[in-house]
Amino acid sequence: MLCSVSPVWYNILRRPHLRNKYELTGAHDVDQTWISEIRYNNQSYNKQKYGKVVPRFRTESWTQTDYLSLLNSFNETRQFVKLLVDECHAQNFDGLVLEMGISSILLRDLVQELGESLHQQAKELILVVSPIRKGVPPPLTAAQFDDFSLFVDRFSVMVYDYSTSMGHSQGPNADINWVEDNILHFTPTSHNRDKLLLGLNLYGTDYSGSKQSNPIIGKDIIKILEKHKPTKFVWDELSAEHHFEYVKTGVKHDVWYPTLKSLEQRILLAEDYGTGLSLWEVGQGLDYFYELF
């Protein structure tokens, strides 16, 4: 199986007062030796490719004006696309992951030009898409998803942060029914469903006090288990996630963190529907999680 690795190297900056209005930060982090190791099995004499490198390009700290200027100016769109495509060519990436902080449907023309430009160089485009949420317009309808599929190779749907995004005081990170709802929203039939990547969180959430929540990764969970030794892990049947409680300085904490059972349920769901998975993120989980893949 050919997997894609997406290091979070690049941030796209907009410089409104300059002729070339866009520039990248993060290129200094690119490690070509590491990229070669990801792509090829060094113990294989035929050097068969088994991994793709598709770095994530993000628009952090952009204002609404920045987005409007990009989307409403043909020249700025061309500059933006050329910058990303040229960087992929110069670094010999297999493509890129685009993450922007606005509704996906507003990006159609930009994404089409970017996708077509990358495809001309045999490179792929993965688009990060927000999940559906109650009370919020969907990022794409099923028809729009099919339309975008003409020039997008994969869609990485961020089906995690369920309870915190819903404003709940505690609860699951990725309610499995909600994950399934997202599959059926974007791909009500099997058409283009293979382009859907379900976000699979390898981190958890520690809830304490009144609506206080903090993300928690593998090394933190080990420290909590060693120090507080919780006696019971509770399996929540509805969401298909485990959680446990502990007390610290008189405050009760409720921790929802992935386990082999919860991850397996989501892997099976992806297999049943024929979707892919997008792990967020490698290095945040426990080492034995990877035995499932």
Side-chain angles (χ1 to χ4, degrees):
M1 179 175 60
L2 194 63
C3 297
S4 296
V5 178
S6 181
V8 185
W9 283 333
Y10 288 98
N11 188 25
I12 309 167
L13 304 180
R14 182 172 181 272
R15 304 299 192 194
H17 304 298
L18 301 180
R19 179 178 299 175
N20 295 320
K21 297 188 182 300
Y22 298 95
E23 65 179 62
L24 296 172
T25 62
H28 63 279
D29 290 324
V30 177
D31 185 338
Q32 291 294 339
T33 300
W34 177 82
I35 289 175
S36 180
E37 291 172 350
I38 292 294
R39 281 201 178 117
Y40 301 103
N41 183 344
N42 291 330
Q43 296 179 359
S44 173
Y45 292 104
N46 62 10
K47 289 291 183 182
Q48 182 178 359
K49 194 170 187 177
Y50 75 105
K52 294 181 179 181
V53 176
V54 287
R56 184 170 295 224
F57 288 73
R58 300 179 293 173
T59 53
E60 286 188 341
S61 304
W62 276 39
T63 66
Q64 185 177 17
T65 300
D66 290 328
Y67 287 114
L68 291 174
S69 298
L70 168 63
L71 300 178
N72 292 328
S73 168
F74 175 78
N75 288 333
E76 288 204 26
T77 298
R78 293 299 297 271
Q79 283 186 15
F80 183 97
V81 168
K82 186 176 186 303
L83 180 69
L84 271 59
V85 173
D86 286 352
E87 184 68 10
C88 282
H89 177 74
Q91 300 286 7
N92 193 28
F93 297 143
D94 298 290
L96 64 87
V97 176
L98 180 65
E99 180 180 358
M100 301 187 72
I102 58 174
S103 176
S104 299
I105 190 55
L106 299 176
L107 300 172
R108 189 198 183 280
D109 293 342
L110 172 69
V111 170
Q112 180 176 7
E113 183 167 348
L114 178 58
E116 291 175 349
S117 297
L118 287 168
H119 292 163
Q120 288 174 5
Q121 297 190 14
K123 299 183 186 299
E124 66 180 40
L125 172 61
I126 300 173
L127 181 64
V128 176
V129 178
S130 298
I132 58 170
R133 294 188 176 96
K134 287 184 179 179
V136 178
L140 294 172
T141 65
Q144 290 163 346
F145 184 94
D146 284 341
D147 174 44
F148 272 59
S149 295
L150 297 174
F151 37 85
V152 175
D153 298 280
R154 298 286 188 275
F155 299 82
S156 180
V157 182
M158 300 184 291
V159 280
Y160 37 74
D161 293 341
Y162 170 76
S163 294
T164 53
S165 68
M166 298 294 185
H168 298 168
S169 59
Q170 62 189 54
N173 297 291
D175 184 297
I176 198 164
N177 300 288
W178 175 65
V179 175
E180 186 175 21
D181 288 344
N182 272 271
I183 297 173
L184 296 174
H185 169 80
F186 292 110
T187 56
T189 69
S190 59
H191 181 60
N192 283 325
R193 191 170 280 165
D194 60 329
K195 291 196 170 191
L196 190 62
L197 301 175
L198 299 177
L200 186 64
N201 58 291
L202 301 183
Y203 67 91
T205 307
D206 186 336
Y207 297 93
S208 61
S210 176
K211 295 188 178 181
Q212 296 292 315
S213 63
N214 291 292
I216 186 168
I217 60 177
K219 63 180 182 180
D220 300 320
I221 203 78
I222 290 174
K223 291 179 181 178
I224 290 173
L225 294 176
E226 290 178 342
K227 182 174 182 179
H228 298 282
K229 297 179 173 57
T231 58
K232 183 171 66 173
F233 284 72
V234 178
W235 175 252
D236 182 68
E237 289 285 350
L238 186 61
S239 66
E241 288 192 28
H242 277 106
H243 65 113
F244 67 88
E245 295 181 350
Y246 72 96
V247 177
K248 181 179 179 181
T249 60
V251 177
K252 186 171 72 172
H253 291 244
D254 187 26
V255 175
W256 294 72
Y257 191 80
T259 58
L260 290 180
K261 183 175 181 179
S262 69
L263 293 173
E264 184 179 41
Q265 293 295 305
R266 284 149 183 80
I267 293 171
L268 291 173
L269 181 70
E271 290 177 349
D272 287 344
Y273 277 102
T275 75
L277 293 169
S278 176
L279 308 187
W280 186 262
E281 66 182 276
V282 173
Q284 290 188 341
L286 298 172
D287 290 346
Y288 78 138
F289 285 173
Y290 304 106
E291 296 174 5
L292 293 170
F293 303 100

